Amino acid sequence: MAGHSKWANIKHKKQKEDKRRGKLFSKLSRKIAVAARQGGGDPEMNSDLRMAIQKAKDNNMPNDNIERAIKRGTGNLDGLTYESFVYEGYGPGGVAIYMDIMTDNRNRTAAEVRHILDKNGGNLGSNGCVAWMFQRKGELVLDLSEFEVGEDELLLEALEAGAEDLEYGEEDAVIYTDPANYEDARKALEEAGYEFESADLAMVPDNEVSLDKKDAKKMLRLMDQLEDHDDIQEVYSNFDISDEIQAELEAEDN
């Protein structure tokens, strides 16, 4: 699995995270509000808003929260105005880090993100320093414990639905699509009976950087702190941790 998928798997294992639900809803609200402000409040006419609403529903966000976020974005409710942009940088072992940011105070966010990176063996880079290492793709993650489907069968169904590629692992399968085909492919596969553990547009790394145990421990701590920051919507990286090192780190945490 590529680094972004590895991190997603780790997060799902850690997820007795109801305490973070409020933080997640806050981030989703920002995403909806920014999409509504930039493209209007009608999801039928605004694909970014439509996908932001779908992501909120995937995470069981109440409809009232979704409606309030849309109204804030279109100016029908008072609230802070957020801007959306990207930060790029490096983590332990020279891995690439790509962050989607939404904030009402760019200077504050820059200082806080730089501090998190610096204290965990990373650094903030210039615009474009790592973006070339990633491609934006639709990413549909299937929990294989929930579906008894072989790799060949799933690949055939995914391709027929308009997907581009499949990574089939022991626990999860990740289906990749062109961003333009993401919604249609998801709909077709859901109509075929699949329910996804997660589904979104993501920055997928072209290549991975394998980390030793020391850097892996630092990297996981860094990712956890970046994910936890209120202004960081999504974090993507190209790190990879072997199953053996991951098992050692999990044993140390228990």
Side-chain angles (χ1 to χ4, degrees), residues 193-251:
Y194 293 106
E195 295 179 11
F196 296 103
E197 190 173 14
S198 66
D200 203 357
L201 295 180
M203 294 297 286
V204 179
D206 291 323
N207 296 292
E208 304 167 358
V209 176
S210 296
L211 298 180
D212 61 23
K213 183 177 177 180
K214 181 180 177 181
D215 283 339
K217 190 170 185 176
K218 289 181 182 178
M219 189 65 207
L220 293 179
R221 183 169 60 243
L222 171 57
M223 290 291 285
D224 201 36
Q225 292 181 21
L226 292 173
E227 287 266 353
D228 203 45
H229 193 283
D230 289 341
D231 298 340
I232 300 178
Q233 280 282 320
E234 302 288 349
V235 187
Y236 305 104
S237 185
N238 65 344
F239 72 91
D240 185 60
I241 301 172
S242 70
D243 292 338
E244 292 78 14
I245 291 176
Q246 183 59 38
E248 289 179 27
L249 293 175
E250 289 178 358

Side-chain angles (χ1 to χ4, degrees), residues 80-115:
L80 296 173
T81 299
Y82 296 100
E83 58 177 323
S84 176
F85 53 93
V86 168
Y87 281 151
E88 300 173 47
Y90 300 92
V95 302
I97 301 174
Y98 183 102
M99 294 163 277
D100 285 331
I101 307 292
M102 289 185 183
T103 181
D104 62 321
N105 187 325
R106 184 186 285 252
N107 291 334
R108 181 202 68 223
T109 302
E112 292 175 355
V113 172
R114 184 176 287 109
H115 176 68

Side-chain angles (χ1 to χ4, degrees), residues 11-203:
K11 279 202 301 181
H12 288 135
K13 288 178 183 177
K14 290 165 99 176
Q15 255 177 14
K16 290 133 185 170
E17 286 195 43
D18 286 343
K19 61 180 181 178
R20 292 194 177 185
R21 188 163 298 278
K23 184 181 290 289
L24 174 61
F25 285 175
S26 175
K27 290 188 177 188
L28 292 170
S29 292
R30 289 189 191 191
K31 192 177 187 73
I32 292 168
V34 169
R37 178 166 62 85
Q38 293 177 342
D42 182 358
E44 294 299 320
M45 303 297 293
N46 181 346
S47 61
D48 287 342
L49 177 60
R50 186 168 62 249
M51 285 189 283
I53 291 171
Q54 183 61 59
K55 184 172 182 179
K57 290 181 176 179
D58 289 344
N59 286 280
N60 301 314
M61 186 170 169
N63 287 332
D64 287 349
N65 296 40
I66 294 172
E67 292 299 324
R68 282 197 299 272
I70 294 172
K71 289 177 179 178
R72 277 197 297 272
T74 55
N76 294 324
L77 279 180
D78 292 334
L80 296 173
T81 299
Y82 296 100
E83 58 177 323
S84 176
F85 53 93
V86 168
Y87 281 151
E88 300 173 47
Y90 300 92
V95 302
I97 301 174
Y98 183 102
M99 294 163 277
D100 285 331
I101 307 292
M102 289 185 183
T103 181
D104 62 321
N105 187 325
R106 184 186 285 252
N107 291 334
R108 181 202 68 223
T109 302
E112 292 175 355
V113 172
R114 184 176 287 109
H115 176 68
I116 292 171
L117 288 166
D118 288 346
K119 75 177 184 178
N120 288 288
N123 62 279
L124 196 60
S126 59
N127 287 345
C129 67
V130 302
W132 61 274
M133 302 181 192
F134 297 82
Q135 296 184 54
R136 187 166 290 281
K137 298 284 185 182
E139 183 184 79
L140 305 165
V141 182
L142 188 69
D143 182 351
L144 292 176
S145 68
E146 300 290 331
F147 296 91
E148 293 186 7
V149 58
E151 182 174 2
D152 291 343
E153 179 185 352
L154 182 57
L155 177 60
L156 181 60
E157 289 192 80
L159 293 176
E160 287 179 347
E164 290 185 336
D165 200 5
L166 169 70
E167 284 184 5
Y168 193 93
E170 292 184 5
E171 298 179 359
D172 297 314
V174 186
I175 297 167
Y176 296 107
T177 77
D178 184 277
N181 295 337
Y182 163 73
E183 290 182 284
D184 289 341
R186 175 177 179 169
K187 182 179 179 182
L189 288 165
E190 287 179 337
E191 288 177 350
Y194 293 106
E195 295 179 11
F196 296 103
E197 190 173 14
S198 66
D200 203 357
L201 295 180
M203 294 297 286

